[in-house]
Each structure stands twice: as structure tokens, then as C-alpha cells.
Amino acid sequence: MPRKVSIFGATGSIGQSTLDLIARDPSAYDVVALTGGRNLDQLAADAVRLGAKRAVTCYDSHYHDLKNRLSGTGIEVAAGANALEDAAMMPADWTMSAIIGAAGLVPGMRALEQGNTLALANKETLVCAGPLVLEQAQKHNATLMPVDSEHSAVFQALVGEDISAVERIIITASGGAFRDWPMDKLANATLAQASSHPNWDMGQRITIDSASMFNKALEVIETHEYFDVTPDQIEVLVHPESMVHALVGFNDGALMAHLGAPDMRHAIGYALNHPNREKLPVERLDLAKLGALTFKAPDEVRYPALRLARQVMDMGGLAGAAFNAAKERALDAFIAGDIGFLQMADVVEATLAQMSSADGLENATLSLDNVLQIDQLARVRAAEIMNTSLV
Ligand code: NAD
Ligand code: MG
């Protein structure tokens, strides 16, 4: 029997890599829902090519465009945030959560209600609402598979191990586009420069987040939420080659490393085939040819986002949701050319400080409604901070 699969964020970088794997073995899968945003050509073409039951754009205004593109195909068409939730409730054995940003949270929570597998590329889901998401998975007997390369690597290093035997988890970071830039040049880094990653081919937003290390900051929090380790057990190591994705250190001093070429189809394929390991179309590493792998400690002056991640974990409560939303808003502003590269961290730090005193982030109850409210409020606060030039 083919497995029923749905892909949220199908038109994005992770979504396309997921479809690549699925399309290699079409008889093994029944594609239920594919979702996207503005790239209707891609969404419609993939829906037809893979015989999806439903195609959904997250924008209401694109409904008719998508409907026209798919007329006569028999593929159901829907649009808007509610349509994403509805699509998440269509029965599927395996769902990929690859929407970018906090917008992935609600569809992911819905998909978990089915009690099947949710492959989670959308790290924001855990950053904003980690305990709620794990509780939801447990309540419905669903499986949550990490797809971030570092977290997939940790997951794989932990197979057959007990988390109580873990001393530390080390996730690696390439250092992004600016790892070799002198600090005084960073303030003037342009959008084009921040949008080009030395090793990974990813969506624009996560590429910029890699240059600022906000991506790694989110991943530190994601590690804390997913693997139930304390913040001081999590380390970040700059590793420019992006071949070692993570290492798990055990009580006896042993370190288990996961290596692979920087290709997200590895982590996606692992989540898709788990607990089996099927052949994947990824490059095989030739370590002799590589010769050496290098590591160094990250510089928290260069990357204030890492310091902020520690602060967020200490704060707890709704701090993760506020942090992520402020970061998303600051990133919008950087992309729009309204603030400089280094100001993103300033905006996020100022937003957290203000919301900590004014909105009681730390002590608020973690509920989905509260997370969504704080998400909206943090975007407003971050915008106010930018408007009043507090940064
Ligand atoms: P992307 O920007 O390439 O694609 C994002 C997808 O989400 C697109 O299909 C887009 O249409 C959709 N989308 C955008 N805004 C939306 C909204 N408001 N509501 C619903 N759908 C929306 O992003 P990506 O690089 O593929 O990243 C997706 C997720 O995977 C992110 O959470 C990212 O952090 C994570 N991730 C990505 C990579 C990577 O290599 N790209 C690696 C690890 C983790
Ligand atoms: Mg990652």
C-alpha cells in the first residue's frame, strides 16, 4: 500500500528536496496535500506531476489564480490559513512541516492530532511552543522526527542510547556568509551578501539567519526542547566545512559524530524512511580527499544571537515565541533595507528586554493562544522599536 504523504511548504527549499525523494519512487507514495505561497506555477506543476489530492496556497488572494491553473485536473484547491489547518487534518501517514517561520506551528499541531509521523523541518515550531508540541505528539501517540540536519544527526547518534547517558550535545555551524569578515565590515553587509551561503543551498531567510547565527540560536533552543537536555549541556562549534553536523558526548567521554555531505535530502530521507535506511541520492564523502576538518569556538561578540538564545532558555515561558517573532520582524526589515545587518540582533534584544518587563514573558502560561498572541505582540513591539530608533 502506498504511504499517504503531505508536504507543507512544498514550494520551498526543503519542500522541493522532499518532493525530489518522493518523485523517485512514485508508486510508494500517495500525495495528499501540497502547500505553498506565491509560487503558484511550481505548486500547480508539482500537484499535477505527483497527482496530489489537494493544493493549497497560504494566501487567500491567490485562490482564483491557483484554481485556474488546476482547472480540469480534479485536484482540489484551497487558500488561506484555515485551509492549511484543514489540509493538515486530511489523513496522511507522514507529513513534512517545511513552512518557514512561526506560520508552521498551527498546521504542525493539527497534523500531530492524526497520531502519525510529523517530520519537522520547521524549527520555529519547537522554539515557539516546544513543550506544547511534545505534549501534543504524546497525547495523540504521534512521532515527531527532526529534519534540521543537526537535530537529525543528534537523533541518529542517540539510536540505542539513553538520554541519561548524554553529557553534552554539540551542534555545528558553518559560520555563514560572513565568518571571515572583519567585524567593522559587518555593519555594512548587504542583502545580496547575506543571502549567499558558502556550503548550503537554502531559502533566503534561513540563509540570512545563518550569516547572523540566528539560525544556530534557534537550533540551540530547538535542541533544548526536543532532546530534553539543559542549556548548559548544549554547545555550538564553528565548522566551516559543514560535514560534521552534530556530536553527542556521553558520560564516559565518548563523542559520537554524524558526518555527511551538506545536502538536506539526507535528513529528509532519514525521517522519511525511519526506522529503515534506504539508499539516498546524496554525495558520499571522500575523507581522504577532504584531508582535514576544522573546528573553532564561536565568537559571541560577532554572533550576539547565540548569547540571546541562552537568555531565552533561561527566561522560559513565552520567551521563545517572542524571540522568534522579533527575529522574523527584524529580518523582514533587513530584507526591506530598513535596518542594517547588525541591527537585527539589537532589535531582538531590545524587544525581549521590553517584553520581559512589560508583558511578563517568563511567567506566562504556555498555551497555543498565548503563543500566537505573543507572536503578534512581539512583531508590533519590534516594529515600534525600529520606528522610534531605539536601536
Ligand atoms: P523557503 O523559504 O525556501 O520555503 C518556505 C515555504 O513555506 C514555501 O513553500 C512558502 O510558500 C511557504 N510559506 C512561506 N510563508 C508562509 C506562510 N506565512 N504560511 C504558509 N506557508 C508559507 O524555506 P526553507 O529554506 O525550505 O525552510 C523551511 C523550514 O525548514 C524553515 O523552518 C527552516 O528553518 C527549516 N530548515 C531549512 C533548511 C534548508 O536547507 N533550507 C535546513 C534546515 C531547516
Ligand atoms: Mg540546521
Side-chain angles (χ1 to χ4, degrees):
M1 267 261 287
R3 286 165 80 201
K4 288 185 168 30
V5 296
S6 284
I7 293 99
F8 286 75
T11 54
S13 165
I14 293 284
Q16 289 291 299
S17 293
T18 308
L19 295 189
D20 174 76
L21 293 181
I22 284 170
R24 284 166 194 265
D25 195 2
S27 62
Y29 303 101
D30 260 348
V31 177
V32 180
L34 293 183
T35 86
R38 292 193 178 83
N39 191 347
L40 303 180
D41 286 339
Q42 185 75 54
L43 182 58
D46 286 336
V48 170
R49 173 170 73 102
L50 295 160
K53 192 166 164 42
R54 187 179 301 178
V56 184
T57 162
C58 64
Y59 300 108
D60 291 299
S61 54
H62 288 329
Y63 174 78
H64 291 291
D65 265 359
L66 186 60
K67 184 94 187 148
N68 288 340
R69 280 176 169 81
L70 290 172
S71 78
T73 61
I75 298 169
E76 299 167 9
V77 171
N82 291 338
L84 289 177
E85 274 194 70
D86 292 344
M89 289 189 286
M90 294 169 79
D93 303 305
W94 189 89
T95 300
M96 166 55 78
S97 164
I99 288 172
I100 184 100
L105 172 61
V106 170
M109 288 290 273
R110 281 284 180 217
L112 285 171
E113 286 173 14
Q114 299 196 28
N116 292 323
T117 298
L118 182 67
L120 199 60
N122 181 273
K123 62 196 81 183
E124 295 89 346
T125 295
L126 285 172
V127 171
C128 295
L132 286 180
V133 177
L134 296 185
E135 197 181 290
Q136 178 84 330
Q138 201 170 30
K139 182 170 157 199
H140 297 282
N141 210 8
T143 305
L144 203 56
M145 288 297 294
V147 173
D148 223 341
S149 57
E150 301 76 5
H151 305 74
S152 173
V154 172
F155 186 95
Q156 295 180 50
L158 283 172
V159 170
E161 306 285 356
D162 194 306
I163 193 76
S164 65
V166 172
E167 208 167 53
R168 57 185 179 143
I169 291 179
I170 304 170
I171 60 173
T172 61
S174 67
F178 302 141
R179 63 184 173 220
D180 301 321
W181 280 38
M183 274 302 284
D184 56 354
K185 259 186 78 188
L186 278 184
N188 298 319
T190 66
L191 178 60
Q193 289 164 334
S195 303
S196 129
H197 197 284
N199 307 344
W200 294 90
D201 180 14
M202 310 186 285
Q204 186 189 39
R205 296 180 73 88
I206 184 177
T207 301
I208 301 169
D209 281 352
S210 296
S212 63
M213 284 274 200
F214 266 112
N215 180 49
K216 211 48 56 178
L218 296 175
E219 290 181 0
V220 167
I221 303 170
E222 183 187 11
T223 304
H224 172 54
E225 298 294 354
Y226 187 89
F227 293 105
D228 194 22
V229 286
T230 56
D232 61 355
Q233 286 179 288
I234 306 167
E235 298 170 24
V236 174
L237 204 52
V238 175
H239 167 47
E241 295 88 358
S242 297
M243 301 288 173
V244 177
H245 304 305
L247 305 97
V248 177
F250 293 92
N251 289 336
D252 58 2
L255 268 180
M256 301 283 275
H258 177 284
L259 284 78
D263 182 334
M264 286 307 296
R265 290 177 303 176
H266 192 130
I268 297 165
Y270 183 81
L272 185 61
N273 300 322
H274 180 76
N276 302 326
R277 282 194 186 267
E278 306 293 345
K279 272 205 176 301
L280 291 174
V282 299
E283 183 195 332
R284 270 49 179 171
L285 289 186
D286 182 342
L287 292 178
K289 202 162 144 197
L290 273 169
L293 296 173
T294 54
F295 303 92
K296 65 178 180 187
D299 172 353
E300 289 199 0
V301 176
R302 178 182 287 268
Y303 300 118
L306 294 178
R307 173 174 52 76
L308 294 176
R310 303 266 166 212
Q311 191 184 319
V312 166
M313 290 186 291
D314 287 344
M315 290 169 76
L318 293 169
F323 174 68
N324 176 67
K327 189 280 294 175
E328 287 192 32
R329 187 63 190 81
L331 178 58
D332 291 340
F334 174 68
I335 291 173
D338 296 338
I339 61 172
F341 181 74
L342 293 176
Q343 283 177 301
M344 286 191 284
D346 296 340
V347 171
V348 175
E349 184 158 18
T351 307
L352 274 180
Q354 196 189 90
M355 292 184 75
S356 169
S357 53
D359 305 304
L361 285 182
E362 296 90 330
N363 303 318
T365 315
L366 195 65
S367 67
L368 192 54
D369 282 348
N370 286 349
V371 167
L372 298 176
Q373 241 173 45
I374 281 291
D375 175 279
Q376 290 306 309
L377 190 59
R379 287 168 204 262
V380 172
R381 294 261 192 262
E384 281 167 3
I385 285 168
M386 288 186 277
N387 283 337
T388 50
S389 305
L390 290 180
V391 295

